[in-house]
Amino acid sequence: MTGGEIRERFLRFFERNDHTVVASSSLVPADDPTLLFTNAGMVPFKGVFLGTDPRPYRRAASIQKCLRVSGKHNDLENVGRTARHHTFFEMLGNFSFGDYFKESAIEYGWAFLTRELELPADQLWATIYKDDDAAFDLWQRLAGLPPDRIVRLGDKDNFWTMGETGPCGPCSELIFDQGPTVGCGRPTCSIECGCDRYLELWNLVFMQYNRDASGTLTPLPKPSIDTGAGLERMAAVCQGVKSNFETDLIRPLIATVEEFSQKRYGADEKDDVSMRVIADHARAVTFALADGVLPGNEGRGYVLRRILRRALRHGRLLGLNEPFLASATDKVIDLMTDAYPDLPASRAHVARFAWIEEDRFGIVLREALPRLHDLIQNVKTQTAERAILSGPTLFELYDTYGVPRDLMDEIATEQSVECDWGGFETELRRQREKSRAHLKAFGDVQEVAEAFHDLAKARRTVFLGYERLDLQASVVAVLADGKQVERIGAGQEGEVVLDQTPFYAESGGQVGDTGYLRGEALIAEVLDTKRPLTGLIVHRVAVKQGELRSGQRLLASVDVSRRGMTVKNHTATHLVHAALRQILGDHVRQEGSLVAPDRLRFDFRHYGPLSPAEITQIEEMVNTKLWANQPVLIEEMRIDEALAKGALAFFGDKYGDEVRVVSIADFSIELCGGAHTKATGEIGLFKISHEAGVAAGIRRIEALTGPGAFQYLKREGEVLRESADRLKSKPLEVPEKVDRLFDSTRALEREVQQLRAKLGAEMAEELLKKATQVSGVTVVAGLAEWCDQRALRELADRLRSKIGSGVIVLATSADGRVSWVAAVTPDLTSRLHAGKLVKEVASITGGSGGGRADLAEAGGKDPDKLDRALQLVPELVGRFLASTRC
């Protein structure tokens, strides 16, 4: 039975039993920013179990793509070394949301395995939670299992929890006995043995309790069912093979690796491990890239990069020195298209990123790994007992060569060498401290003064700047040089904390507000607004008139014009983000931004430069939204509600229970705490001014809105008109005129090259006529007035080929400088060194130089002595020849 048939039978079986078939969700959890990857079939239904995500059905079945490479499920180093460990796998699951419970779950599980898959009942076992007498009775009554094939286990194996608190309950596992020929072979082998004989096929979780912070279990009003079964294991059992890698789900990928490497699977265990690693990792890479994850240095991107690089390293172990991973992902797509019809649409995207990452890591593999292997061999030969790579050594490989820590650890372990990771961490901390000290010296890092900590503990600043841009406030504290003071006077600068403020503090990329504080005889300019600590807003001020005192009542007024321009740019960043995702793909995600009054900057994940057509598409899409004048809706709601509505949330960002959601029609919805326009039409106009790469896989768009965009376009128009005037054409005819001029210039360049070649030939003949003999060696020396340095070298090469054996010294002069070239034919380089000769000649014209024995260049500062230097060339050649004879 093929893997595809098992998928189909599973879904149809549960569909017949009134389950709604739900398509696989993305590997990137849509409603759980705390989770790196979807690692179980229940993840997409987490909100349903918690009661926050109501669905129109109470029973569901799915085949969920999963990735387990982090947290308690991180078995990355075991993948390829065992028959069962994987990064990517497919999980079959059936779910009940307060509908059926233990009896039906057990009945469905048993019926599917024994009737649909026709597995022999006498080879099936069940494990149950130690106190679950109900499950013990049900397995006997419904499945006919004898008591000795129902095993009670404890909390570790048979009690499932969603987290430290929340829904939980006992579980029951269906186990398949593969027989005494599989596994450890010991007579004492039992279902609790860690070998492969007793293979877990299916886990049935009976969610019947809620666990609180104290650990107390309270029965749930509607107990539920969550089950999970690995498709790869089921396929191995149904196909009668002892390894998941031998199933039709994965074996064709190994065959592809065999073809790449020209090695046979099964011939060498080390090679087999590498082939299994590549086959498994190719599946993980394909699905992760297709779901929008890009290689990076943190979060999901870092995990994907680890998987990619581990596959590439095992490729090198197989002798695959040319790119291969993109071809492997192509094979994955061919194999998985029937089950995942949307996958082929990502074929080019997946292949491109696989190739880019392989190309980059190839440099590390070529340059750093040989050094790592040399270091390992050195410590092994120098140490009689424990061979250890030192912390500084490991850090040098990591910091200078870019070798990932886990890769160093894996290679060292293979060679029975230990790694001093404590020493590595010491070096890493030392480097970070140096970096912080460097940044602090240049003012890029600011220490948070102790006074701010004290103020943050005492009270919070109330921010009212979404609704109001001026209000009456009281001065809570005045600070100067990081210390709390009673007052600051005219001409002084300091920081002010108010009880409430309309000033937006810099965060989320949006710059802090500026404006004024006015009171009795007081005028203070607000230069910037920051939030050094949660709940504390600090205004940097310069007192223009009067005194600013603690306890003072004053009017706080934001610079309305500046805020107005800033919010235009902030709302535009949301439109840009949405447009990028629509045009380039869902892999695009924000990596940083700057929202200032005069411009916006938006950093995002993408694999390469945007084409002019893509930039135009983005501009048109954003401007279309501006001209539609769509309302910008801002709501506060619970984070689970926001995520359920489709708001973008990213792993690593911190969100409270209550979040602020910014929506623009059905085009953009994001979690955002910034200030925005009330409608898109207020932005007026949008124009991208620059697009470039800022890091591997990170692109940057710089853009302008409103008056700034208009001024940019106005200046572009002026430049175009000026260019048209100079070209004596109309503005829209400039490209055509430039093309004609370009064609004309190229024709002239070709003509010049032909003339130079002709002139060079003629000059070579003239110089040859003046050649002299010095101790039997032909010497050509002369002035080539029309030559630049390149033409001088070409002329020297021409002469060297013509004389067969001899020495050439040529010079040219321009702009008060002298250029020299010396060439020596190969038969004479042992007697005469061109570099030494040209250095000696150039010194006469007040210069110096050098180079190889056969060709060298030099410069000089005194053209008046050029003729004298050329006359001395034969004499200098004679000296050099005489010295070599001696």
Side-chain angles (χ1 to χ4, degrees):
M1 188 180 299
T2 67
E5 288 171 335
I6 295 172
R7 286 193 200 98
E8 185 65 19
R9 289 194 181 197
F10 180 83
L11 295 177
R12 298 294 77 83
F13 173 82
F14 281 100
E15 192 173 41
R16 290 195 305 270
N17 286 284
D18 303 321
H19 289 65
T20 297
V21 173
V22 179
S24 174
S25 294
S26 168
L27 284 176
V28 179
D31 57 355
D32 193 346
T34 65
L35 194 61
L36 271 176
F37 293 102
T38 300
N39 58 13
M42 61 76 57
V43 170
F45 302 110
K46 187 173 178 180
V48 185
F49 285 119
L50 292 170
T52 59
D53 181 15
R55 303 280 178 97
Y57 47 80
R58 298 182 65 191
R59 299 180 175 203
S62 69
I63 299 177
Q64 175 63 46
K65 50 192 178 184
C66 299
L67 202 60
R68 288 189 175 178
V69 282
S70 58
K72 67 179 182 179
H73 297 300
N74 186 6
D75 293 317
L76 183 61
E77 284 71 26
N78 290 322
V79 173
R81 306 185 190 283
T82 71
R84 310 293 174 200
H85 284 104
H86 298 289
T87 52
F88 173 87
F89 65 98
E90 296 174 83
M91 184 175 281
L92 316 178
N94 59 287
F95 309 91
S96 164
F97 312 117
D99 189 8
Y100 62 83
F101 196 47
K102 287 183 187 179
E103 182 168 349
S104 293
I106 289 172
E107 194 168 22
Y108 290 144
W110 185 259
F112 181 74
L113 292 183
T114 59
R115 296 177 201 162
E116 291 290 322
L117 300 187
E118 299 179 350
L119 296 182
D122 60 356
Q123 287 180 251
L124 288 169
W125 293 57
T127 66
I128 61 170
Y129 184 57
K130 59 183 180 180
D131 298 330
D132 195 351
D133 293 333
F136 186 81
D137 294 337
L138 287 168
W139 279 116
Q140 293 180 79
R141 178 165 63 84
L142 298 173
L145 277 177
D148 61 348
R149 294 223 310 271
I150 307 170
V151 181
R152 295 177 185 266
L153 297 174
D155 287 12
K156 179 184 175 185
D157 296 294
N158 280 73
F159 196 92
W160 183 90
T161 59
M162 188 179 285
E164 294 297 321
T165 61
C168 58
C171 61
S172 184
E173 295 178 347
L174 275 158
I175 309 293
F176 185 75
D177 179 3
Q178 300 192 88
T181 59
V182 178
C184 64
R186 294 192 299 266
T188 57
C189 183
S190 71
I191 203 167
E192 295 184 64
C193 181
C195 73
D196 267 357
R197 173 175 174 175
Y198 295 96
L199 184 65
E200 176 199 336
L201 284 185
W202 206 339
N203 188 15
L204 316 178
V205 178
F206 311 131
M207 283 198 281
Q208 62 189 95
Y209 301 110
N210 185 63
R211 174 178 279 164
D212 63 21
S214 68
T216 303
L217 298 177
T218 305
L220 291 170
K222 292 183 178 180
S224 298
I225 292 294
D226 159 28
T227 81
L231 174 62
E232 292 76 10
R233 290 192 179 194
M234 278 200 180
V237 169
C238 290
Q239 294 169 21
V241 295
K242 306 309 178 188
S243 165
N244 295 358
F245 292 91
E246 294 171 16
T247 67
D248 71 315
L249 296 168
I250 306 176
R251 186 62 180 84
L253 294 171
I254 292 178
T256 300
V257 182
E258 286 180 297
E259 184 181 337
F260 292 159
S261 63
Q262 295 297 297
K263 295 187 176 184
R264 184 174 62 82
Y265 185 65
D268 181 273
E269 179 55 24
K270 286 186 177 179
D271 288 345
D272 291 351
V273 169
S274 293
M275 289 184 186
R276 289 192 290 265
V277 167
I278 293 169
D280 172 273
H281 290 10
R283 298 197 330 151
V285 166
T286 301
F287 279 92
L289 286 171
D291 280 349
V293 183
L294 297 184
N297 294 323
E298 59 184 27
R300 296 187 184 100
Y302 176 69
V303 172
L304 175 56
R305 179 162 281 167
R306 285 184 66 194
I307 296 170
L308 272 159
R309 292 187 166 185
R310 190 167 185 262
L312 297 175
R313 188 237 165 184
H314 278 276
R316 294 301 187 274
L317 293 178
L318 290 173
L320 299 175
N321 295 315
E322 297 299 322
F324 67 90
L325 194 55
S327 297
T329 62
D330 213 43
K331 182 66 174 177
V332 173
I333 293 173
D334 289 342
L335 283 172
M336 304 294 275
T337 293
D338 287 345
Y340 301 95
D342 294 338
L343 200 53
S346 302
R347 191 185 294 270
H349 164 74
V350 170
R352 180 178 292 189
F353 261 106
W355 187 89
I356 289 171
E357 195 69 12
E358 185 161 9
D359 184 57
R360 287 175 180 155
F361 193 51
I363 299 170
V364 175
L365 293 170
R366 287 193 301 272
E367 296 181 0
L369 290 195
R371 176 163 173 74
L372 172 58
H373 285 292
D374 288 344
L375 290 167
I376 287 173
Q377 292 308 312
N378 286 341
V379 297
K380 288 176 76 171
T381 55
Q382 293 171 8
T383 310
E385 298 177 359
R386 292 173 60 207
I388 303 174
L389 281 173
S390 70
T393 296
L394 293 166
F395 185 74
E396 179 196 7
L397 289 164
Y398 169 83
D399 189 49
T400 304
Y401 293 94
V403 184
R405 173 174 171 165
D406 55 289
L407 185 57
M408 288 189 280
D409 200 27
E410 183 173 347
I411 294 171
T413 301
E414 289 173 356
Q415 298 291 323
S416 302
V417 171
E418 297 178 34
C419 294
D420 177 17
W421 293 118
F424 173 89
E425 292 293 341
T426 299
E427 295 297 320
L428 185 61
R429 283 194 299 272
R430 190 172 295 158
Q431 187 210 47
R432 286 172 176 165
E433 287 166 5
K434 286 180 181 177
S435 296
R436 279 195 291 269
H438 173 78
L439 289 171
K440 187 177 177 183
F442 286 90
D444 290 330
V445 171
Q446 295 181 352
E447 297 288 342
V448 177
E450 191 64 35
F452 290 143
H453 285 282
D454 294 339
L455 287 166
K457 292 174 187 175
R459 66 185 302 163
R460 300 173 67 89
T461 307
V462 178
F463 174 64
L464 300 173
Y466 292 135
E467 300 83 17
R468 301 180 60 182
L469 296 182
D470 59 67
L471 51 79
Q472 291 289 328
S474 295
V475 177
V476 172
V478 180
L479 296 97
D481 298 323
K483 295 180 180 178
Q484 200 163 340
V485 296
E486 276 301 311
R487 67 192 69 211
I488 54 175
Q492 290 183 293
E493 291 189 9
E495 286 84 28
V496 177
V497 177
L498 305 175
D499 61 343
Q500 59 183 18
T501 182
F503 289 88
Y504 182 87
E506 179 183 336
S507 65
Q510 181 175 330
V511 298
D513 279 336
T514 62
Y516 284 91
L517 304 177
R518 291 183 173 88
E520 188 177 348
L522 165 73
I523 300 175
E525 183 180 1
V526 177
L527 306 173
D528 198 3
T529 310
K530 293 188 180 293
R531 193 189 307 267
L533 297 165
T534 301
L536 184 69
I537 296 176
V538 176
H539 311 77
R540 178 73 185 172
V541 300
V543 179
K544 302 297 183 183
Q545 177 181 313
E547 284 187 339
L548 185 59
R549 305 183 305 275
S550 180
Q552 189 175 16
R553 288 288 290 175
L554 45 74
L555 177 66
S557 302
V558 173
D559 183 331
V560 176
S561 175
R562 186 175 183 273
R563 167 76 85 87
M565 291 302 302
T566 302
V567 299
K568 291 183 198 311
N569 286 326
H570 199 155
T571 304
T573 62
H574 286 228
L575 295 170
V576 168
H577 195 184
L580 286 167
R581 288 171 66 85
Q582 284 201 23
I583 292 165
L584 304 180
D586 288 344
H587 65 275
V588 169
R589 60 157 284 173
Q590 181 176 342
E591 288 295 324
S593 67
L594 170 69
V595 181
D598 58 335
R599 71 192 191 284
L600 68 90
R601 186 180 72 215
F602 189 83
D603 296 345
F604 59 98
R605 283 193 175 276
H606 188 54
Y607 47 74
L610 303 189
S611 68
E614 287 170 332
I615 291 174
T616 298
Q617 275 185 284
I618 294 163
E619 289 178 334
E620 288 180 351
M621 186 173 286
V622 172
N623 280 304
T624 298
K625 297 301 174 184
L626 306 193
W627 302 329
N629 197 27
Q630 293 177 323
V632 178
L633 178 64
I634 298 175
E635 303 171 280
E636 291 191 2
M637 62 183 73
R638 289 185 55 80
I639 187 168
D640 52 353
E641 294 177 52
L643 297 172
K645 287 186 67 173
L648 290 180
F650 302 113
F651 177 82
D653 290 349
K654 295 181 180 179
Y655 303 107
D657 291 337
E658 292 290 324
V659 293
R660 196 163 176 269
V661 181
V662 179
S663 307
I664 303 170
D666 59 353
F667 185 66
S668 168
I669 177 169
E670 293 191 29
L671 305 185
C672 180
H676 288 274
T677 60
K678 289 183 170 55
T680 58
E682 295 176 27
I683 300 170
L685 185 64
F686 171 81
K687 176 64 182 173
I688 293 174
S689 58
H690 186 64
E691 188 274 337
V694 291
I698 307 294
R699 307 298 299 178
R700 170 173 291 172
I701 278 177
E702 295 186 20
L704 304 161
T705 65
F710 173 76
Q711 291 299 326
Y712 181 87
L713 292 171
K714 179 183 173 185
R715 178 58 186 147
E716 273 194 338
E718 289 170 351
V719 170
L720 180 59
R721 282 191 295 275
E722 289 172 10
S723 301
D725 290 343
R726 293 179 186 182
L727 293 169
K728 294 182 171 53
S729 70
K730 297 177 181 179
L732 296 181
E733 295 172 353
V734 166
E736 183 183 347
K737 188 67 176 285
V738 168
D739 286 342
R740 288 202 300 270
L741 287 173
F742 184 69
D743 291 341
S744 176
T745 301
R746 281 196 299 186
L748 289 171
E749 286 176 349
R750 286 193 295 269
E751 189 176 340
V752 167
Q753 288 173 355
Q754 292 169 357
L755 289 171
R756 279 185 170 179
K758 183 178 180 182
L759 186 59
E762 292 174 355
M763 181 164 283
E765 293 301 324
E766 289 298 318
L767 289 168
L768 285 172
K769 291 176 182 177
K770 299 176 182 178
T772 59
Q773 296 290 318
V774 177
S775 301
V777 173
T778 301
V779 178
V780 178
L783 179 67
E785 293 180 313
W786 56 269
C787 289
D788 57 15
Q789 193 72 29
R790 178 181 174 182
L792 210 60
R793 288 194 301 271
E794 291 173 353
L795 180 58
D797 285 336
R798 182 189 293 270
L799 287 166
R800 186 162 48 175
S801 65
K802 281 184 172 293
I803 63 175
S805 175
V807 180
I808 299 101
V809 178
L810 302 175
T812 188
S813 177
D815 301 324
R817 304 284 301 175
V818 179
S819 294
W820 291 96
V821 168
V824 177
T825 54
D827 60 310
L828 296 174
T829 52
S830 60
R831 299 173 58 195
L832 189 63
H833 193 285
K836 294 178 180 178
L837 175 61
V838 80
K839 183 178 181 180
E840 192 76 24
V841 175
S843 67
I844 300 170
T845 58
S848 184
R852 304 192 310 265
D854 63 328
L855 183 68
E857 301 178 28
K861 299 181 289 187
D862 193 348
D864 294 337
K865 296 180 179 177
L866 200 155
D867 290 338
R868 172 64 179 159
L870 286 170
Q871 291 170 5
L872 289 174
V873 168
E875 181 182 331
L876 292 171
V877 170
R879 288 182 197 169
F880 277 107
L881 291 172
S883 66
T884 55
R885 283 198 300 272
C886 296

